[in-house]
Amino acid sequence: MKKLLVFTLILVSNHFFACGFYPYGEDVRMRFLNPDLFKYKTYSEFNYSASLFYPVYNDLYGENGIQPNDKLWFDYCNRKVDYASISTALFELSSESITADSDNKMIQYLYKMKDLEAINYLIFAKNCESFNAFFEDPWERTEVVPVKERTQLIDKATQLSKSVKSEILKKRYAFLAIRLAFYNDDKDRIVDLYKTNFSTDKEKTILNYWSMYFRIFAEKDNELKSFYAAQVYANAPDKRFVVFGSFDRKAKIESILKFAKTNEEKANVYLLAGILKVDKAFDYIKKVYELNPKSDGLSFMLLREINKIEDWVFTPYYTMFSPSIQTNYWYDAESVFSLKNIQKRVAKDRKYASKLEKFIASNDFSKTENPALWSIAQAHLLFTSEKYESSLNLIAQFEKKLDKTDAVYKQLQLIKALNLTANQSVNNAIIKDKVKEILLENGTSKQFIFAIGRELEYKKNYVDAAVLYSKLLDIENMYFVWKSDRNKQASYRDYFYNYYQYIDVYYSANEVEKLITNVKENASKTDKFSVWAYNYIKNENSKLYDLLGTMYIRKDDLKTALSNFNKVEVGYWNDYYSLWQRKDIEGNVFDENPFFTLKYTSDFMPEKENFVANKISVTKRLIQYLEKATNPNEKDRDYYYFLAANCYYNMTINGNAWMMRRFGISANDVEPFPEDQEEFIGGNLAKKYYLLAYSNAKIDKFKALCLRLAGRCEKNKLDYNYATKYKGNFDFYQEYLLGKNRYYGDLKTKFPDYYDDLMTTGCTVFENYYSARR
């Protein structure tokens, strides 16, 4: 059995993965001009959005908005009755409560004026309400069942439309009859009633467009139906969302325009056609301006077009995500992750912004319904086109005409701050005083804060950029994601969601040092901007030194790493890394001693040192063991090289101390990686020190063990390099890797008697070979 028509809005704009969360749509869309601030509430269901269109079930007219039907009754009552009383009479009173004793001011007024025609109309309309719904056949023989009582009401409404004296009440009765006929599925009656009562009207009210809405469902001609839909869309705000689907997007617009008799009607056709365009609507904006420049729909369509351009330009430019709605013009599966292609597309869209700006500049703003919007649109499009000086000059002229408390003025300030920041040379960009002021006024706008930070980063002011990125974690319910220009492929983890994660892989150690110095110098300042900007990052001192020390671990500069780890507050290690002995906490936990235990390997070495493992203690001992290993007078050089090798192996992705190099690992990690990715995967340093242990060892069994572990490092490296390149039968993949592993080859050649034993996974094999050392 068919049910009522349900509008299903499908997100068609982005890719998302089969399972798991990935940011898309409104999560990534950049926007600076807020359509809610420009008084187009009745068009809000068609604001540019990754959700395409979405219904507003309440408050379509805003808190103080006046509905067209209320206005019609207000005029009927000679403006003697307030709108609240009218709304109550229409939507809350029952037919039985419409009496001379009513306390409703509208009802009182009608009785006072002895307007029995209007009173009787209201009672009749109330009695029709229960019939304004479809009744289904319980035997499922037909989709809609005509109801005898409803048919009688249609006849009565038709008769009353002819007999009442008031012209407006004639229209009201005719509308009631049309609506009842719709629910009775009487299309012929709809056509006849509309033709008789509304088709020739030159002056139209909301009743004409409400009736036209139902007339659409009785029309078979798609072009005429589209024409009606465009007129209803332009003139009946409460029907916009339910009528737009009746407009045939595939029909040639000329075949729809043939029904238009006035420029306004033609403009309405171009308006709805333009609103429904997901891609460029420039030609439609131009046409509506030519035909009806005072149309509020024209100004809304311009605002919508700018929001489109913001998505096309700023979403990829600032966040490196593709636009939230991808058209064929934008999407290219082969190169969606190519920065070069992103830049090309952004460049094309900037040219389109320039084209729209030139159109605006060539026309008279005073002819439009909202000159202020057109002015700010021009300034914004100049910024989008990277014509910063021209944009700033226009803003300076326009600011003089605005009240600083006006929402438009505040929107203009965002564009001004972006211009001021972008209009600086590389290596010389700062956060200017005016920009600081605007940041403070918009301190919870995640997109604006990030955009200013990104502009600074593009100008190589990495320090101030990081400070602003840290603010994204300082605002309640703040969530923001972005990528970098080093992204090369998709994954659940190909984006960043906090500043620390970003600077970990994107900033150099020198840049992090500058950031730490900057925070120290500014965190204690009492001016409003410093208090705001450093509120979060001022508490990150230990984390930043942890990051800096980790960066030097990646460079294998152990002493500099230790120096920075020593600047971390003692309690931090317990809070973030815990003690190795604790098994109850997940995360960056040192759960084993990295010198004496190898992950996924049975214990084979007695621990000669039992200590609390954290980055300081591990680094300190690694330095000590290497000093002993490189000392020619040390008799156990092979032993200390072996301990160092174990530690370096455990600092790889396959080890138990991976947190020495990373702050988190996932199977979904993709580029960009920190600078030591090859070491993190392949364990080159571990291999180096196992081979040095081998060179200094005196016992063959221990030498064989060193080669076996060097071969393990090589296996991990080969597996990483060939996992996606291997084209053979996967059943033979491990054998393929074994054939390429030179150290396993050396083990087999030099120690054939030990090879099979060491290559098994027996629990005590390694222990036997290690114990043979002495």
Side-chain angles (χ1 to χ4, degrees):
M1 177 166 47
K2 294 182 181 178
K3 299 294 182 183
L4 294 178
L5 177 64
V6 177
F7 285 94
T8 304
L9 303 182
I10 302 174
L11 302 180
V12 296
S13 58
N14 282 54
H15 321 293
F16 50 92
F17 295 88
C19 48
F21 169 77
Y22 190 80
Y24 68 98
E26 291 300 287
D27 294 328
V28 301
R29 180 169 74 91
M30 292 295 288
R31 183 198 71 184
F32 300 113
L33 284 195
N34 183 354
D36 294 337
L37 301 179
F38 287 92
K39 302 177 182 178
Y40 294 106
K41 183 74 173 178
T42 60
Y43 286 95
S44 59
E45 295 166 312
F46 297 86
N47 286 344
Y48 180 77
S49 163
S51 303
L52 300 185
F53 309 130
Y54 48 92
V56 175
Y57 296 106
N58 298 304
D59 199 30
L60 182 63
Y61 291 89
E63 185 177 349
N64 300 312
I66 298 171
Q67 298 190 31
N69 189 40
D70 291 359
K71 177 65 167 60
L72 207 57
W73 277 111
F74 180 72
D75 292 338
Y76 183 86
C77 295
N78 294 309
R79 304 188 174 191
K80 298 291 180 63
V81 180
D82 62 277
Y83 282 107
S85 297
I86 291 172
S87 181
T88 300
L90 297 180
F91 298 108
E92 298 179 23
L93 298 185
S94 65
S95 58
E96 292 80 8
S97 61
I98 300 176
T99 67
D101 297 327
S102 173
D103 60 359
N104 179 269
K105 292 181 181 180
M106 176 178 171
I107 304 303
Q108 289 175 354
Y109 175 82
L110 294 176
Y111 272 104
K112 179 181 178 181
M113 302 304 294
K114 299 180 181 181
D115 191 344
L116 296 181
E117 279 194 345
I119 291 169
N120 290 333
Y121 165 78
L122 289 172
I123 294 172
F124 181 80
K126 296 286 182 181
N127 290 331
C128 291
E129 287 177 354
S130 62
F131 292 93
N132 293 327
F134 289 115
F135 298 128
E136 295 175 334
D137 178 2
W139 300 103
E140 302 188 9
R141 293 170 299 184
T142 57
E143 189 172 328
V144 180
V145 178
V147 178
K148 180 180 178 182
E149 291 86 347
R150 186 158 52 201
T151 303
Q152 292 172 348
L153 288 172
I154 295 170
D155 292 339
K156 187 172 182 180
T158 303
Q159 185 269 320
L160 288 169
S161 71
K162 298 174 182 178
S163 63
V164 295
K165 295 178 181 179
S166 167
E167 289 299 319
I168 192 65
L169 291 179
K170 287 179 184 288
K171 300 292 186 185
R172 288 192 178 280
Y173 276 116
F175 165 68
L176 290 180
I178 288 174
R179 183 168 63 182
L180 289 166
F182 168 76
Y183 288 107
N184 233 27
D185 198 29
D186 191 343
K187 294 182 174 62
D188 292 338
R189 197 78 180 266
I190 293 173
V191 173
D192 181 63
L193 285 166
Y194 183 82
K195 181 178 180 181
T196 303
N197 294 279
F198 296 103
S199 63
T200 60
D201 289 351
K202 292 183 179 180
E203 297 294 327
K204 295 180 175 64
T205 69
I206 190 64
L207 299 173
N208 293 75
Y209 297 108
W210 280 353
S211 299
M212 190 181 291
Y213 167 71
F214 291 110
R215 172 66 179 83
I216 290 170
F217 296 98
E219 183 54 53
K220 297 178 181 179
D221 185 323
N222 278 345
E223 283 84 9
L224 181 55
K225 185 185 291 186
S226 298
F227 171 75
Y228 285 145
Q231 307 314 309
V232 172
Y233 181 89
N235 293 284
D238 57 328
K239 299 297 182 188
R240 282 178 181 146
F241 192 79
V242 291
V243 81
F244 82 88
S246 298
F247 190 91
D248 187 353
R249 304 187 198 199
K250 296 180 180 179
K252 291 183 178 180
I253 199 162
E254 294 79 8
S255 64
I256 301 173
L257 288 169
K258 68 185 178 184
F259 297 104
K261 297 177 181 178
T262 66
N263 282 347
E264 183 177 341
E265 289 180 342
K266 292 177 183 178
N268 293 340
V269 172
Y270 282 112
L271 172 64
L272 183 51
I275 293 294
L276 295 180
K277 279 188 71 66
V278 178
D279 54 358
K280 298 173 182 176
F282 175 82
D283 291 339
Y284 296 89
I285 293 171
K286 187 176 178 180
K287 278 292 186 181
V288 177
Y289 180 84
E290 291 172 1
L291 295 164
N292 187 17
K294 285 293 184 182
S295 166
D296 64 341
L298 169 62
S299 294
F300 173 75
M301 186 159 55
L302 174 64
L303 178 57
R304 177 179 163 79
E305 196 71 3
I306 290 174
N307 286 152
K308 280 187 204 175
I309 293 171
E310 288 181 320
D311 189 19
W312 297 342
V313 173
F314 297 128
T315 300
Y317 180 68
Y318 288 129
T319 73
M320 300 292 172
F321 277 90
S322 295
S324 64
I325 296 180
Q326 294 175 21
T327 65
N328 290 334
Y329 163 72
W330 242 96
Y331 177 60
D332 177 356
E334 294 288 325
S335 58
V336 69
F337 301 106
S338 165
L339 176 64
K340 184 178 181 181
N341 280 281
I342 286 176
Q343 290 172 333
K344 285 181 180 179
R345 292 163 180 160
V346 169
K348 289 181 180 179
D349 290 320
R350 287 191 190 276
K351 288 181 180 179
Y352 176 59
S354 181
K355 177 181 178 180
L356 185 57
E357 183 279 322
K358 289 175 182 176
F359 166 74
I360 293 173
S362 66
N363 290 288
D364 184 358
F365 294 176
S366 64
K367 290 183 179 181
T368 66
E369 168 268 344
N370 190 344
L373 170 64
W374 286 68
S375 294
I376 195 172
Q378 184 183 7
H380 191 19
L381 290 168
L382 284 168
F383 165 69
T384 308
S385 308
E386 299 181 305
K387 298 170 184 174
Y388 306 125
E389 288 291 344
S390 297
S391 181
L392 287 168
N393 290 336
L394 188 60
I395 289 171
Q397 297 173 29
F398 190 41
E399 279 179 326
K400 299 174 183 177
K401 304 175 183 178
L402 293 172
D403 186 327
K404 290 187 177 182
T405 62
D406 193 302
V408 175
Y409 180 87
K410 294 179 180 179
Q411 288 279 279
L412 201 62
Q413 297 309 293
L414 301 183
I415 312 306
K416 183 176 184 176
L418 289 166
N419 269 298
L420 288 170
T421 307
N423 193 31
Q424 300 180 86
S425 60
V426 174
N427 294 318
N428 293 303
I430 60 171
I431 306 178
K432 294 187 174 183
D433 289 342
K434 183 60 181 178
V435 176
K436 290 179 180 180
E437 179 185 319
I438 298 170
L439 279 166
L440 286 171
E441 292 170 355
N442 297 275
T444 60
S445 175
K446 58 185 178 181
Q447 296 184 335
F448 174 62
I449 294 169
F450 180 79
I452 295 294
R454 202 63 148 169
E455 290 288 356
L456 290 167
E457 182 186 343
Y458 291 156
K459 303 295 182 183
K460 300 191 182 302
N461 182 345
Y462 299 108
V463 170
D464 284 337
V467 172
L468 290 181
Y469 295 157
S470 76
K471 284 300 297 181
L472 303 179
L473 298 172
D474 192 33
I475 303 169
E476 189 176 356
N477 298 321
M478 178 61 68
Y479 178 76
F480 197 85
V481 293
W482 70 98
K483 299 183 183 184
S484 84
D485 57 7
R486 297 178 192 170
N487 282 95
K488 293 185 179 180
Q489 66 183 90
S491 164
Y492 292 119
R493 291 279 296 269
D494 69 349
Y495 59 90
F496 303 94
Y497 49 85
N498 68 56
Y499 88 98
Y500 193 80
Q501 175 200 33
Y502 182 63
I503 66 176
D504 174 31
V505 298
Y506 202 82
Y507 280 34
S508 67
N510 182 51
E511 286 156 358
V512 172
E513 287 186 77
K514 289 180 180 178
L515 175 61
I516 292 172
T517 300
N518 178 274
V519 174
K520 283 183 178 180
E521 292 174 350
N522 292 284
S524 60
K525 290 183 178 179
T526 57
D527 64 279
K528 289 183 179 180
F529 181 77
S530 296
V531 170
W532 174 82
Y534 292 89
N535 186 60
Y536 186 88
I537 203 170
K538 70 181 180 182
N539 299 312
E540 298 276 281
N541 191 59
S542 289
K543 285 187 71 175
L544 291 172
Y545 275 119
D546 179 9
L547 172 58
L548 187 56
T550 302
M551 286 179 161
Y552 281 107
I553 287 287
R554 294 167 185 166
K555 295 176 181 295
D556 202 32
D557 185 346
L558 301 180
K559 291 184 178 180
T560 306
L562 181 61
S563 173
N564 283 288
F565 288 148
N566 280 325
K567 295 174 184 177
V568 173
E569 294 178 4
V570 175
Y572 171 86
W573 301 117
N574 289 340
D575 292 340
Y576 284 90
Y577 294 96
S578 186
L579 306 179
W580 88 16
Q581 296 97 333
R582 292 181 62 180
K583 309 290 185 181
D584 59 320
I585 297 180
E586 295 182 356
N588 302 347
V589 179
F590 286 87
D591 56 357
E592 301 290 350
N593 187 316
F595 295 97
F596 296 92
T597 305
L598 296 179
K599 200 169 185 179
Y600 308 123
T601 304
S602 298
D603 291 346
F604 64 94
M605 296 176 65
E607 293 186 17
K608 292 187 176 180
E609 284 191 272
N610 191 353
F611 60 92
V612 174
N614 57 43
K615 290 189 177 182
I616 290 180
S617 60
V618 170
T619 306
K620 186 180 296 184
R621 279 162 178 77
L622 182 55
I623 292 171
Q624 291 171 354
Y625 294 158
L626 285 172
E627 286 176 347
K628 289 184 177 183
T630 55
N631 183 354
N633 298 319
E634 172 60 54
K635 65 176 182 176
D636 293 323
R637 293 180 70 188
D638 58 337
Y639 170 73
Y640 289 112
Y641 274 129
F642 193 80
L643 292 183
N646 286 345
C647 185
Y648 277 112
Y649 181 82
N650 278 317
M651 286 196 289
T652 71
I653 194 172
N654 299 293
N656 58 40
W658 56 263
M659 63 287 298
M660 291 294 293
R661 293 182 177 276
R662 296 291 183 273
F663 294 92
I665 53 175
S666 165
N668 295 306
D669 288 340
V670 293
E671 292 185 80
F673 297 117
E675 61 182 295
D676 66 334
Q677 181 66 6
E678 184 178 349
E679 172 63 29
F680 188 59
I681 297 296
N684 294 324
L685 288 170
K687 183 168 60 182
K688 169 186 173 181
Y689 288 112
Y690 281 130
L691 294 175
L692 283 170
Y694 167 84
S695 299
N696 285 273
K698 300 175 179 62
I699 305 299
D700 283 352
K701 271 196 168 183
F702 186 64
K703 280 178 173 285
L705 176 61
C706 293
L707 277 180
R708 171 66 172 85
L709 292 174
R712 177 187 281 187
C713 297
E714 184 70 3
K715 176 184 179 295
N716 293 335
K717 181 177 181 180
L718 291 169
D719 191 22
Y720 180 75
N721 290 335
Y722 287 98
T724 58
K725 298 177 183 178
Y726 179 69
K727 303 301 181 183
N729 188 327
F730 196 74
D731 291 340
F732 302 106
Y733 178 60
Q734 293 302 324
E735 185 177 336
Y736 173 80
L737 293 182
L738 186 63
K740 287 187 167 293
N741 194 320
R742 57 173 291 193
Y743 302 102
Y744 285 161
D746 288 348
L747 175 62
K748 189 172 186 178
T749 301
K750 296 178 180 179
F751 305 103
D753 294 339
Y754 304 146
Y755 179 80
D756 290 338
D757 195 21
L758 280 168
M759 295 302 287
T760 65
T761 56
C763 294
T764 62
V765 172
F766 282 13
E767 183 179 354
N768 295 335
Y769 282 80
Y770 177 78
S771 298
R773 179 182 168 272
R774 288 287 180 263

